[in-house]
Amino acid sequence: MEKIMTMGEILVEIMATERGQSLRAPGRLLGPYASGAPAIFIDQVARLGHPAAIIACVGDDDFGWLNIERLQRDGVDTGSISVLPDAVTGSAFVTYRRNGERDFIFNITNSACAQLQPAHVNAAALRDCAHFHVMGSSLFSFRLIDAMKKAIDIVKGQGGTVSFDPNIRKEMLRIAEMREALTYILEFTDILLPSEHELSLLASAPDEAGAVRELFGKGVKEIVVKHGAQGCCYFAPGVRFALDAIPVEELDPTGAGDCFGATFVTCRRLGKTPDESLRYANASGALAVGAKGPMEGTSGFKQLDALLALS
Ligand code: ATP
Ligand code: MG
């Protein structure tokens, strides 16, 4: 079977234990956990039994090896992860507001993952790649954007498809080149996986229907809008259907969107219908929020089927 691949940041995440906890004062923290949106995505693809690989850079430190060992354990091909001797692995500290919103302190731009560049993208590693996934959160430097463009060119050149989750963090929009890169990636996107608020950043139409039409006009073939605890909605030209979220206790929302996207894309690659793929993705997001830690809620088809049988 041909591979699904992605590229971008691998981090550890260290999280506050209480809602309302601030990082301006000492407090109890939990972690390090394996993390980074592309890493969570590819872990979920592998958990579904699909061949999966990630192009990334980590430092030669415990944070880097924690991630590599974890991804390997779940079946991800880590052969395209470079371990850089002179860099440290990225990190993110997360706090949760009382209303459920999250704030992040990222150490990404000075970490190993920021050293990712076109030289790390080689055609040989991408030879078996039938589908490439782009996380908008990975587009934080010119070098990375160039690397992403190179990977997309190779995969599209060999007849592959591309999915794109804008995954915009307000902390990152300050980086000017990121905004431009979002527009560029959109041109090559087959499956778009935005959150509700991201639709208005990608299209000029003020309403959902208009925004979706505009994006189809740019060549996007399928759009799945993630609505958190309100569920999700699928769009293809002339087609729209929504699903309510599966009621679960939300322990940690981080990673839900990444697991959701990975499951949708994998199911579509496996030839499942949009309807069935959305059901599996919805279940995958629900299982992700039920576990503390960004990558701790990834799941296989057995767990997804068990949850869907109950709901
Ligand atoms: P992020 O802000 O982390 O980027 P996202 O917008 O990419 O998140 P979400 O919308 O938070 O992703 O979650 C993706 C999907 O996971 C939702 O569309 C839904 O199917 C499922 N999901 C999310 N939160 C919950 C919840 N509290 N209960 C059940 N399912 C959920
Ligand atoms: Mg997201």
Side-chain angles (χ1 to χ4, degrees):
M1 202 172 4
E2 290 167 312
K3 273 186 222 154
I4 294 177
M5 288 183 71
T6 189
M7 173 163 69
E9 69 280 12
I10 288 183
L11 321 168
V12 289
E13 187 170 307
I14 296 165
M15 57 208 222
T17 51
E18 307 293 334
R19 282 201 172 190
Q21 188 178 334
S22 150
L23 291 173
R24 288 199 188 187
R28 279 160 56 88
L29 300 169
L30 207 56
Y33 285 105
S35 191
I40 300 165
F41 176 95
I42 210 66
D43 193 78
Q44 176 58 43
V45 173
R47 290 291 311 273
L48 295 174
H50 197 290
I54 181 168
I55 303 170
C57 292
V58 295
D60 187 9
D61 50 30
D62 287 344
F63 287 173
W65 288 108
L66 174 155
N67 272 289
I68 292 176
E69 286 166 10
R70 167 59 193 274
L71 292 170
Q72 282 176 346
R73 194 186 79 204
D74 287 344
V76 176
D77 173 351
T78 59
S80 294
I81 300 180
S82 303
V83 179
L84 309 180
D86 299 319
V88 292
T89 302
S91 58
F93 288 78
V94 190
T95 50
Y96 303 86
R97 295 188 194 179
R98 292 195 196 283
N99 67 3
E101 274 181 50
R102 286 161 293 163
D103 294 295
F104 293 86
I105 296 179
F106 287 116
N107 172 26
I108 295 183
T109 48
N110 297 312
S111 75
C113 58
Q115 307 226 5
L116 199 61
Q117 53 191 291
H120 291 111
V121 179
N122 62 70
L126 286 162
R127 194 173 38 230
D128 300 328
C129 175
H131 183 88
F132 188 79
H133 180 74
V134 181
M135 281 290 179
S137 55
S138 311
L139 306 169
F140 57 82
S141 78
F142 277 126
R143 281 193 296 203
L144 250 156
I145 293 165
D146 286 347
M148 207 63 94
K149 289 178 177 174
K150 184 175 171 186
I152 290 172
D153 271 353
I154 294 172
V155 174
K156 283 264 160 166
Q158 59 199 28
T161 47
V162 169
S163 52
F164 178 35
D165 178 348
N167 206 27
I168 295 164
R169 296 276 171 259
K170 63 184 186 307
E171 287 84 352
M172 287 185 172
L173 270 181
R174 294 179 208 133
I175 306 166
E177 53 265 46
M178 238 186 107
R179 279 183 182 273
E180 284 170 35
L182 294 177
T183 320
Y184 174 87
I185 305 291
L186 211 48
E187 274 180 45
F188 298 92
T189 300
D190 298 289
I191 304 178
L192 181 66
L193 300 148
S195 307
E196 195 173 0
H197 71 276
E198 290 165 345
L199 264 187
S200 57
L201 290 166
L202 298 172
S204 52
D207 59 312
E208 185 187 77
V212 164
R213 217 176 311 118
E214 198 177 316
L215 291 163
F216 286 140
K218 291 184 179 167
V220 176
K221 297 180 184 68
E222 295 178 87
I223 302 176
V224 186
V225 183
K226 295 169 282 178
H227 292 287
Q230 269 69 56
C232 50
C233 197
Y234 174 88
F235 299 88
V239 181
R240 178 191 190 278
F241 54 86
L243 272 186
D244 286 337
I246 299 172
V248 290
E249 190 191 354
E250 184 179 297
L251 293 179
D252 180 6
T254 310
D258 312 327
C259 291
F260 177 99
T263 300
F264 184 80
V265 165
T266 305
C267 287
R268 293 295 287 135
R269 290 280 338 153
L270 291 172
K272 296 188 188 299
T273 60
D275 179 63
E276 195 181 9
S277 303
L278 197 70
R279 275 175 207 291
Y280 273 121
N282 199 38
S284 185
L287 288 178
V289 301
K292 264 195 188 227
M295 206 188 278
E296 306 315 301
T298 54
S299 50
F301 275 117
K302 209 170 145 187
Q303 288 152 287
L304 295 173
D305 282 328
L307 178 63
L308 286 169
L310 287 174
S311 55

